Amino acid sequence: MTVFGTAMLLELENVSKTFSRNGHHIPALRDFTYRIEPAQFVAICGPSGCGKTTLLLICGGLLRPETGAVVLYGHDLYSLSPENRAGIRSAHIGFVFQQFHLVPYLNVLDNVLAASLGLRLDDAAQRKQIRQRAMELVERFGLADRAEHLPAELSTGQRQRVALARAMLNRPKILLADEPTGNLDADNSNVVWEYLREFAADDRAVLLVTHDSAAAAQADQVVHMEAPSVEAD
Amino acid sequence: MNLTHLIWREIAHRRLNFSLMLLSVVLAVACGVSAVTFLRAQALFNEQQVRGLDDEIRKITKDMGFNILILPKDENLSDFYADDFGARTMPETHVQSLAASRDVFTIRHLRPALIRKLDWPEQNRRVILMGVRGVVPFAHRNPKKPLADPVPAGKIDVGHLLAQEVDLQPGQPLTFLGETLEVNKIYPPQGNKDDITVWIDLDKAQQMLDLPGKINLIQALECNCNAIDRLAEIEAEVSGVLGDQVQVIELATKAIARAQARTRVSDEGAIRLKRGRRIAGTIIPLTIVAAGLMVGLLSLANVRQRRQEIGILRALGMRSGQVFRVLLAKPAVIGIVGSLIGYLVGFGAALAMESGWRLGEIHESAVRSLFLFPVLGVVFVLTPILTVMAGWLPALYAAGQDPADILHQE
């Protein structure tokens, strides 16, 4: 396991990723190095196809890079087994997507609680505690009166708030957000930015990927990407 | 929130998919159970018919008496049929030899007899004298209730017509060939030569006819065996003990006709059952395979439909093993529920078919006799195993998918 520095929350060291399609090699990332400290809100900004989502999936332990290392909270993600990586993801990483990706047959509260399925909650007290936290999040995100509703019965803004609540359930160290306001109007977008800033301020971190410079401007730090090279502010 | 909750919510949400899978399993199980139950009903019906004919044979043979005659080898059968008795004799020890043999299975109730047609000078008429002894039991078999009682010494049994003509009553003394005997029994009318026959103790008959230790007939009752040529089998057994000193004849009787009918019913029933089993043996595996394919294809459609959901659950930290269990739980639930509903439907359909669709005529006893707990047990255990096997590959495919691929494509 490689540990670059204990003060860092997420470290990417010379990360490269290439996709092969129809015999062609398409570079998505080349020797990407970056570090995120606690309480940072970082935006990766770039046009479609520049490798933003690839970077996010690599940071989330979902996509193994060809070269380089990804260390999250002291764990070299890709030296771990897939099962252990899933455990790290469940405990330390929160995901928010543009399409929300809510489970269509679970109500709001259960969708938030879905994030706890990967945790090993052995006793009833732990299960009660996580349920309590889910209810608090639902309330905090203004969804208390919608707790029993299915995603199809919610507005887009409400769905994204459910996705945010789900991402925060396990108190992750880092939140990875892929165009989280891409489908939202200005008012709902502002609500999301507010929550993300609040989350980062709690000694955690947010890594946002977006093609929208206005959205990127909400972050403390912006990294511009142009496929396959990377340029930092 | 746990995996069980997730499974139930998904089932409730995608009811059509669940219902189609359940329906295919219910139909397959119902088809198998109804075939097995219907065949069992047919088997029971056959058994019942055969039992009924067995009872009839028993009743007929009880009324009729012996139907196998063992005669001396040199007896002329033409004379025997013309005179109603045989002129030739054989040693009475033949009976003991047969009774002592361990190789005789096809006949029962051996009774030695000495028969002569003679004049009854005291009454100036011609009668048939039959000297008989009680039935000689087989030494190596469980004793059976004798088919005929012996005539006690000093007594005489008289046929119906003879008793009527001479005006005899039980207990009345009479003189027969110079011997005074008491009337023991008067037989009811038989409509044959028995009506002009008198029966006395064999020892007395041998003494009267001056044929000590001799008989000219052994009566027996053939067993109800399934052999095609029973007479040949009986002859073979008897000659195995007595050599070629005797011959065996069989009296064509109602009992034989019934026995043949019984064998025919039993054989036809067995053929029908065999044919039914062969058809069921083809149809049941086909329905199982069809249901398995249906469950497998619907499972595949289900996991493809849930692709995004699987990707997001994996991104949230769910392990591939958990995804696999969630996806397999559905076929397992379908197997358990489908086996129970399918059993009830199949059993009900078989009962309805058996009653000719007259549902009001189905009796509790029929339900009890056709219900087989082992069949329910096998169905309840095997069906979930088969549905889980059918859902295995789609679940494996889904659990093995790369969540990054899914999320990338979504």
Side-chain angles (χ1 to χ4, degrees):
Chain A
M1 186 170 80
T2 311
V3 179
F4 298 99
T6 47
M8 292 299 156
L9 210 152
L10 177 70
E11 300 174 62
L12 294 108
E13 189 74 26
N14 298 322
V15 172
S16 296
K17 180 71 187 175
T18 303
F19 292 104
S20 296
R21 278 199 193 102
N22 304 325
H24 297 288
H25 297 290
I26 304 157
L29 278 179
R30 189 176 294 161
D31 293 330
F32 186 82
T33 300
Y34 198 76
R35 292 184 171 90
I36 298 176
E37 293 171 26
Q40 264 192 323
F41 184 167
V42 179
I44 308 280
C45 186
S48 293
C50 72
K52 301 187 300 289
T53 302
T54 300
L55 176 67
L56 202 76
L57 295 174
I58 288 173
C59 291
L62 289 166
L63 187 63
R64 181 183 287 278
E66 268 105 40
T67 60
V70 180
V71 179
L72 175 76
Y73 201 54
H75 301 279
D76 182 353
L77 284 185
Y78 294 98
S79 69
L80 299 172
S81 68
E83 295 295 285
N84 286 339
R85 210 156 53 234
I88 295 284
R89 208 158 46 234
S90 184
H92 301 309
I93 302 171
F95 275 101
V96 184
F97 300 94
Q98 182 180 356
Q99 300 298 335
F100 325 128
H101 290 326
L102 300 179
V103 181
Y105 50 83
L106 296 180
N107 65 26
V108 166
L109 185 63
D110 286 340
N111 256 296
V112 174
L113 279 166
S116 68
L117 286 172
L119 299 176
R120 295 185 195 281
L121 302 174
D122 297 327
D123 58 64
Q126 283 177 307
R127 285 194 289 273
K128 194 178 169 187
Q129 209 174 2
I130 202 87
R131 190 173 176 81
Q132 186 62 38
R133 167 142 175 90
M135 283 158 71
E136 280 168 17
L137 283 168
V138 166
E139 210 161 302
R140 195 178 140 213
F141 282 87
L143 295 162
D145 58 337
R146 299 281 178 163
E148 299 297 321
H149 287 234
L150 294 176
E153 297 164 342
L154 304 175
S155 69
T156 41
Q158 286 169 329
R159 285 181 212 175
Q160 191 59 298
R161 277 184 273 155
V162 177
L164 272 170
R166 181 180 66 189
M168 293 177 186
L169 179 76
N170 299 336
R171 300 179 198 277
K173 297 292 174 199
I174 188 164
L175 207 147
L176 306 175
D178 188 357
E179 306 275 12
T181 57
N183 283 332
L184 302 182
D185 59 26
D187 288 346
N188 277 310
S189 297
N190 287 335
V191 172
V192 170
W193 298 132
E194 203 178 307
Y195 285 131
L196 291 180
R197 270 196 294 271
E198 198 182 312
F199 177 82
D202 188 21
D203 215 22
R204 295 163 198 277
V206 174
L207 177 63
L208 163 77
V209 298
T210 179
H211 68 280
D212 180 6
S213 352
Q218 300 291 330
D220 305 330
Q221 194 175 3
V222 180
V223 178
H224 288 285
M225 276 179 80
E226 275 177 27
S229 58
V230 177
E231 182 188 332
D233 271 353
Chain B
M1 178 71 176
N2 53 30
L3 294 183
T4 312
H5 184 72
L6 190 75
I7 291 158
W8 286 121
R9 293 304 310 157
E10 198 275 332
I11 287 173
H13 182 70
R14 298 196 176 98
R15 284 187 288 273
L16 182 64
N17 176 277
F18 181 81
S19 304
L20 286 174
M21 282 203 237
L22 187 63
L23 184 66
S24 54
V25 172
V26 165
L27 286 177
V29 171
C31 179
V33 169
S34 63
V36 169
T37 309
F38 190 70
L39 284 173
R40 177 165 166 77
Q42 289 294 302
L44 289 178
F45 178 71
N46 285 346
E47 276 174 30
Q48 203 177 1
Q49 271 197 320
V50 169
R51 251 200 320 273
L53 285 165
D54 277 345
D55 285 347
E56 214 175 314
I57 291 164
R58 236 170 263 128
K59 279 179 202 157
I60 292 166
T61 48
K62 198 177 161 205
D63 293 344
M64 177 209 72
F66 306 94
N67 63 344
I68 291 290
L69 303 181
I70 300 169
L71 304 169
K73 179 73 180 173
D74 53 356
E75 183 65 68
N76 184 311
L77 287 182
S78 302
D79 293 344
F80 178 80
Y81 291 132
D83 298 339
D84 289 324
F85 74 98
R88 307 289 179 185
T89 59
M90 58 187 166
E92 192 186 343
T93 51
H94 280 4
V95 185
Q96 276 77 39
S97 301
L98 284 174
S101 170
R102 287 173 181 273
D103 301 323
V104 177
F105 303 101
T106 52
I107 50 174
R108 298 171 284 169
H109 301 285
L110 296 171
R111 186 166 80 154
L114 180 61
I115 309 173
R116 282 287 184 269
K117 193 182 267 184
L118 43 75
D119 291 327
W120 185 1
E122 288 87 352
Q123 293 293 335
N124 196 24
R125 61 181 60 243
R126 203 157 169 78
V127 296
I128 297 171
L129 168 67
M130 198 158 172
V132 290
R133 207 182 286 293
V135 170
V136 180
F138 277 92
H140 305 291
R141 291 197 214 163
N142 291 331
K144 288 184 183 292
K145 194 181 169 195
L147 201 60
D149 296 324
V151 182
K155 305 235 172 173
I156 184 166
D157 290 351
V158 186
H160 180 262
L161 186 62
L162 198 58
Q164 214 172 33
E165 286 176 1
V166 184
D167 193 21
L168 295 171
Q169 298 297 327
Q172 189 182 329
L174 63 80
T175 309
F176 185 78
L177 303 180
E179 295 275 349
T180 301
L181 302 164
E182 185 189 323
V183 177
N184 177 51
K185 192 195 287 181
I186 293 171
Y187 282 92
Q190 301 291 321
N192 57 29
K193 64 183 170 61
D194 285 356
D195 288 347
I196 56 156
T197 301
V198 291
W199 291 266
I200 61 170
D201 175 51
L202 180 60
D203 290 334
K204 177 59 77 184
Q206 287 167 339
Q207 183 198 325
M208 282 176 175
L209 300 171
D210 197 21
L211 290 168
K214 296 287 184 187
I215 55 172
N216 58 359
L217 176 71
I218 301 170
Q219 293 174 308
L221 183 69
E222 67 183 293
C223 73
N224 184 25
C225 13
N226 285 327
I228 295 167
D229 189 358
R230 284 176 301 183
L231 189 57
E233 205 172 311
I234 295 168
E235 271 176 341
E237 281 185 6
V238 171
S239 61
V241 178
L242 302 178
D244 60 352
Q245 301 169 59
V246 293
Q247 56 183 318
V248 180
I249 61 172
E250 184 183 31
L251 303 178
T253 64
K254 218 164 125 188
I256 293 169
R258 283 292 184 279
Q260 283 165 349
R262 179 233 183 250
T263 307
R264 201 167 52 244
V265 166
S266 173
D267 290 349
E268 282 172 4
I271 289 168
R272 266 202 309 276
L273 274 179
K274 199 174 166 188
R275 198 183 305 136
R277 284 194 185 112
R278 205 169 44 232
I279 294 168
T282 310
I283 289 174
I284 293 172
L286 279 179
T287 53
I288 289 171
V289 169
L293 276 176
M294 190 81 172
V295 170
L297 289 173
L298 288 168
S299 292
L300 187 62
N302 184 241
V303 299
R304 288 178 73 86
Q305 195 179 15
R306 297 172 73 179
R307 195 175 140 80
Q308 181 201 328
E309 172 196 327
I310 291 163
I312 191 66
L313 289 172
R314 292 290 306 279
L316 292 175
M318 226 167 119
R319 291 157 181 84
S320 57
Q322 286 179 298
V323 172
F324 187 64
R325 284 206 298 278
V326 166
L327 294 173
L328 269 193
K330 194 168 173 176
V333 169
I334 283 164
I336 292 166
V337 177
S339 64
L340 292 176
I341 298 176
Y343 187 90
L344 290 175
V345 171
F347 191 72
L351 282 178
M353 277 192 283
E354 183 54 24
S355 70
W357 299 98
R358 290 185 294 274
L359 303 182
E361 292 178 17
I362 296 171
H363 294 292
E364 198 192 326
S365 59
V367 177
R368 267 204 304 269
S369 62
L370 292 177
F371 176 79
L372 287 175
F373 192 76
V375 174
L376 177 61
V378 166
V379 166
F380 189 65
V381 171
L382 214 61
T383 311
I385 291 175
L386 290 175
T387 52
V388 165
M389 279 168 68
W392 193 275
L393 283 180
L396 205 62
Y397 158 76
Q401 278 196 314
D402 188 345
D405 275 352
I406 299 172
L407 296 172
H408 240 146
Q409 285 162 21
E410 299 290 340

